[in-house]
Amino acid sequence: MKKYITFLALLCLVLNMSAQEVPTAFKGGEWLKYRMSYSGFLRAGTATLELKNKTLKGKKVIHAIGKGWTSGMISWFFKVNDRYESYFTPKNVKPYLFVRDIDEGGYKKKRNITFNYDNNTAYVQDFIKQKDSIISVRSPQDMISTFYFLRNHDTKSMKKGEEIKVSMFFDDKSYPFKLRFLGYETLKTKFGKVKTQKFRPLVQAGRVFKAKESVTVWITADDNKIPIKMKASLAVGSLRAELEAYKGLANPFEITFTK
């Protein structure tokens, strides 16, 4: 149950694309809402991703806020309320501060991670364990900033089988993360038929991740590159996330055919 309910974390880990010098795929004011379902029919929860233009310690940043919560019958016996935040530079998506505040059926984590680029460290504050630590890290991306850092990759020139790679700092360690391009597919959505690019996430085996993940993600083949659908195969059933609503996109949302 916990494996599929922790949707927001999975979404931000797998729905990614890469980086150009100046972000063009998103802007402050973007808001995405996802419907989460179990085995394609049972409503399990909702997740949102929002961008705001802010100032952090005198620097102009984008404040990304990700929220996820259970709803319907699922919340009766497994209540989830997750919040993730990242503050990063608008031009090259360098994260300064990452906030993780989650409650998943009583399993709680509350951490702040501050990145210092002068000495290449991450200052991790664990408010549950009341423990602070400083960890050496280079060219980090946090769970949320990775999502936006990678969305700006020029995926249109990719060939089937090619991969996008990035290093992501999660909890207290950096992990190699990559996406393999599987090709193009046109999906029938509530908005109409949308041309998409299909990707398969691959992560390094270890304490947090498995070597192979049964996850597939579809992103719009337009300049926004927004995740429009995700499916994760589980031991029993499957987890599905589909774009339910959006606003503030940086570019036109290209629908190939009307409904």
Side-chain angles (χ1 to χ4, degrees), residues 113-138:
I113 301 176
T114 304
F115 296 101
N116 187 318
Y117 296 97
D118 293 329
N119 55 17
N120 294 316
T121 59
Y123 174 47
V124 182
Q125 297 172 281
D126 191 323
F127 297 102
I128 301 296
K129 296 181 179 180
Q130 297 186 342
K131 178 183 177 181
D132 297 350
S133 57
I134 297 178
I135 302 168
S136 296
V137 62
R138 290 183 179 274

Side-chain angles (χ1 to χ4, degrees), residues 1-2 5-9 46 66-71 74-75 77-84 99-111 128:
M1 179 64 65
K2 175 184 169 183
I5 288 298
T6 56
F7 157 69
L8 184 62
T46 302
K67 300 177 183 178
W69 61 93
T70 48
S71 60
I74 297 295
S75 62
F77 57 90
F78 196 88
K79 191 173 182 65
V80 168
N81 187 10
D82 290 354
R83 183 183 179 93
Y84 296 85
V99 177
R100 185 182 183 197
D101 188 357
I102 66 170
D103 186 346
E104 299 166 355
Y107 175 77
K108 298 181 180 181
K109 274 196 175 185
K110 188 174 183 180
R111 289 184 174 186
I128 301 296

Side-chain angles (χ1 to χ4, degrees), residues 239-252:
L239 168 68
R240 181 180 295 179
E242 295 175 292
L243 185 67
E244 190 171 42
Y246 65 90
K247 62 182 178 181
L249 301 182
N251 305 286

Side-chain angles (χ1 to χ4, degrees), residues 7 33-37 40-47 230 240-245:
F7 157 69
K33 180 182 179 182
Y34 292 89
R35 172 190 173 93
M36 172 183 163
S37 60
F41 67 92
L42 179 62
R43 180 87 186 219
T46 302
M230 184 198 74
R240 181 180 295 179
E242 295 175 292
L243 185 67
E244 190 171 42

Side-chain angles (χ1 to χ4, degrees), residues 14-31:
V14 302
L15 306 184
N16 303 306
M17 301 301 80
S18 159
Q20 297 170 353
E21 186 174 351
V22 180
T24 56
F26 58 85
K27 64 179 182 179
E30 181 185 87
W31 177 83

